[in-house]
Amino acid sequence: MKTDSEAAVLPKAGHHSADPHTADRPIAVRHTADPRGVLTGIHFMDGDHACCEGALAAGCRCAAGYPITPSTEVVERFASRVPMVGGTFIQMEDELAASITLQGMVWAGAKAFTVTSGPGFSLMMEHIGYAAMTETPCVFVDVQRGGPSTGLPTLPAQADMMQARWGSHGDYEVIALCPNSPQECFDLTIKAFNLAEEYRVPVMFMMDEVVGHMSEKVVIPPADQIEVVPRKHTHKSVEDYLPYATNGDQVPEMAHAGEGYNFHVTGLTHDERGYPNMTLAVQDKLVRRLQSKILNAVDRITMTEEEQIEGADVVVVSYGITSRVAQRAIEAARERGLHVGKLRLITAWPFPEKKFRDLAAKVKAFVVPELNLGQMVREVERAAGGQAKTFAVSHAGGGVHNPEEILKVIVEASRCQTI
Amino acid sequence: MSDDLVTDILNPVEPFLRSDRVPHIWCPGCGIGTTVNSFARALIDSNIDLGSLALVSGIGCTGRVAGYVKLDSFHTTHGRAIPFATGLKLANPKLNVVVYSGDGDLSAIGGNHLIHAARRNIDLKVICVNNLIYAMTGGQTAPTTPDHSTTSTNPYGVFEASFNLPQLVEAAGAVYVARWTTFHVRQLSRAISEAFQKKGFSFIEVISPCPTLYQRRNKMGDGLDAMKYYKEKSRVRHGAPTSEVGMTMTGEIIVGKFVDRERPDYQTMMKAQFHESLGERFVEQTEMVCS
């Protein structure tokens, strides 16, 4: 499988040195995982459990959760493992609580996450906004099932993709990752924590029921081969520290409760001191920075897996479990002599808009199968800007596509006239 | 002229306040500032290490306290001060964590967290300023608004039953429950100091006037009239059964320390359980700071 340079940032087992997020920066000390949390070895485990192991390997020692299928196995394993690693899990009274308890944990110095599925994800939205506004580094895992409402417990869907991006009120940016295997549930959970720390942003870990419940080989490397990004903790003195001042890179430095900084954190619009300030100027500066700290780094954040894009007439765009179903359709189409490329979104958000804009000038069409009635396809269509046609292969959820359905659309797309 | 007259005399509570944020947003006659004064004095009296103290507020008039105290202070979302504070305490058990919020924030939108934190006996000190109404949003009915009073959302009078907060939190498991009014500034300060000595979920309700909305709409006068009412109608009944301390619109206000009992807190129970079940495999949580 040929992958482009972006895909190389995947923290593959035994190979963690080529991380472009840090490669262009001088790092005094290379931070690797605390071995206590790393279950080194070759395992047969499902995606939920692999996600938990990824969190532990990333240095996460605190979690707050509320049971909801098909995500609960993540925290069940965490609850069982973390007392032997030096940390804590608490089952809260609801998802509203879980999604803010984890932020208290972060401000006390921990790396923390919570895990849920659709209905719980809906309840967490306010606190995703709080994390974005207060720049609290943390991870929200959503093992997607069919919706709306209680929907399909507990059958797969990928219908929370827009919610992950837009679910909380106001303007903000998040990062969202989409693993397509238990191995990636491990690797990308580490990545999710690392991105959360680097950008001080809530990271959405968008699994789906199939990836969560499928069991495959998961290789967990030795701790010294797992790169972890430490907290962006301030080195400033109490007198010099301004909680929301930035030093050129748009991401402020953190302090933790109990260290003597006497800092203030609020969900209100705030100035560099962290003090509420309701002026237009402060609102504009803050909200634009929350956006640009992510959007200016799109090229460094986004990860895709690409295959036979050069010379392709049609590019199939997929993510999560659907990328594995699409693989079969892509191969069947190639057997028919069609020039079909594959582009898998490993990060859904921020969306790699420029990549799609450039690609749209070269290909006839994009085919976008997903387990929803058309969510990421809107982004593809928007980025294509009319230069290439866009075909959705929608599915209401509850199962995965039949590869034949995708193949049919690939064939149709390859016949279309170039715009 | 003697120099004494122009010498700055430091208000003893000033070191606890973010003076650069004054003037505050509270109305003339509001009791919240009075409670902050009592709180600051309790910090002085109880010799708490301020570096280990974190204060968490929700949303509302009292929710703004977090913005005025010179502590590690968190102004969270509406109703969620307690679960945020729970997270702070769990990740760093050395912190002294105070939740400072209003009756609507803690007992309506945050009511579920209130009872569950009391049930778990999380080591939090909760100061609930009860002004009997939603004040920040303009005087709507709260779960604490007494029968027959008038609010902007019950313009013909409140007819739904109100919460008796001391009874609620006692039933849920709090180890320390007291109520004072903003007239009882010294008693309140002592109660806060006492709560700092307790390990576990402590709840102090402070009855506090809202002259702008509750008092005015119910023709109960201004802040000073509220002080007169609190003075005349308050009855100190330490150890009173909490079932007997419900508030009415114009009746007696039962104040005092109602509950002071011992029960191991969440983290003590958790450690004991892990020691028992895991033995030497239990790794006690140490330094959590992920630097």
Side-chain angles (χ1 to χ4, degrees), chain B residues 101-271:
Chain B
S101 217
D103 50 308
D105 186 76
L106 287 166
S107 77
I109 189 167
N112 201 24
H113 313 311
L114 178 69
I115 57 175
H116 285 282
R119 171 181 66 78
R120 296 187 184 103
N121 201 21
I122 302 269
D123 185 19
L124 301 176
K125 321 298 163 203
V126 180
I127 298 168
C128 174
V129 178
N130 182 359
N131 57 12
L132 309 172
I133 205 158
Y134 281 94
M136 182 70 92
T137 46
Q140 298 81 20
T141 304
T144 46
T145 310
D147 210 1
H148 302 307
S149 41
T150 303
T151 70
S152 66
T153 46
N154 281 114
Y156 310 112
V158 171
F159 48 85
E160 58 181 85
S162 59
F163 264 151
N164 170 351
L165 294 179
Q167 186 184 21
L168 180 72
V169 294
E170 184 193 13
V175 293
Y176 183 94
V177 183
R179 176 199 281 154
W180 295 100
T181 76
T182 50
F183 175 74
H184 301 88
V185 287
R186 290 180 191 283
Q187 293 91 330
L188 172 59
S189 191
R190 275 202 296 274
I192 295 169
S193 297
E194 265 184 25
F196 276 122
Q197 306 307 315
K198 296 287 292 185
K199 193 164 188 182
F201 190 85
S202 303
F203 185 87
I204 298 167
E205 181 185 27
V206 194
I207 306 298
S208 173
C210 174
T212 306
L213 295 158
Y214 185 77
Q215 305 272 130
R216 183 171 55 93
R217 192 177 278 273
N218 288 289
K219 302 187 170 50
M220 295 172 84
D222 58 16
L224 190 58
D225 292 310
M227 290 304 107
K228 286 177 189 156
Y229 168 48
Y230 295 168
K231 183 181 180 205
E232 283 162 16
K233 295 280 192 166
S234 291
R235 296 287 175 269
V236 180
R237 283 180 63 196
H238 293 300
T242 52
S243 59
E244 297 172 9
V245 307
M247 295 282 294
T248 56
M249 192 177 159
T250 51
E252 281 191 343
I253 304 171
I254 310 299
V255 294
K257 179 167 76 177
F258 305 136
V259 177
D260 189 351
R261 58 188 171 182
E262 296 302 322
R263 191 161 78 86
D265 77 299
Y266 178 89
Q267 277 161 310
T268 305
M269 298 288 282
M270 180 177 73
K271 263 193 245 176

Side-chain angles (χ1 to χ4, degrees), chain A residues 81-86, chain B residues 274-275 277-284:
Chain A
R81 290 261 287 126
V82 83
M84 295 181 281
V85 177
Chain B
F274 288 154
H275 273 300
S277 303
L278 295 172
E280 290 188 350
R281 290 184 299 158
F282 173 45
V283 177
E284 205 160 315

Side-chain angles (χ1 to χ4, degrees), chain A residues 31 36 59 61-62 79-80 82-94 96-98 100-111 126-127 130 197 230-231 233 256-268 273 275-276 278, chain B residues 18 20-21 50-54 64 66-78 80 82-92 95 109 112-114 116-117 119-120 122 266 270 274 278 281-291:
Chain A
H31 293 271
R36 286 179 306 174
R61 294 292 178 270
C62 283
S80 145
V82 83
M84 295 181 281
V85 177
T88 193
F89 167 73
I90 185 166
Q91 183 175 314
M92 294 305 290
E93 50 274 11
D94 55 32
L96 300 161
I100 195 78
T101 299
L102 84 99
Q103 297 187 48
M105 291 165 164
V106 171
W107 283 99
K111 289 187 180 178
E126 186 183 10
H127 291 144
Y130 188 77
E197 295 295 338
R231 179 79 18 106
H233 194 282
H256 295 134
E259 296 174 339
Y261 284 92
N262 290 339
F263 61 92
H264 181 57
V265 171
T266 177
L268 289 165
R273 296 172 298 176
Y275 287 5
M278 303 298 124
Chain B
R18 297 186 194 276
D20 51 350
R21 288 217 58 222
L50 295 182
S52 74
L53 189 65
R64 294 302 181 100
Y68 297 123
V69 291
K70 204 185 279 178
L71 300 168
D72 291 333
S73 56
F74 299 90
H75 183 221
T76 65
T77 51
H78 197 13
R80 318 304 166 200
I82 284 177
F84 186 98
T86 299
L88 281 176
K89 185 69 187 174
L90 289 183
N92 184 355
L95 291 174
I109 189 167
N112 201 24
H113 313 311
L114 178 69
H116 285 282
R119 171 181 66 78
R120 296 187 184 103
I122 302 269
Y266 178 89
M270 180 177 73
F274 288 154
L278 295 172
R281 290 184 299 158
F282 173 45
V283 177
E284 205 160 315
Q285 193 174 305
T286 50
E287 194 65 15
M288 192 62 81
V289 176
C290 47
S291 49

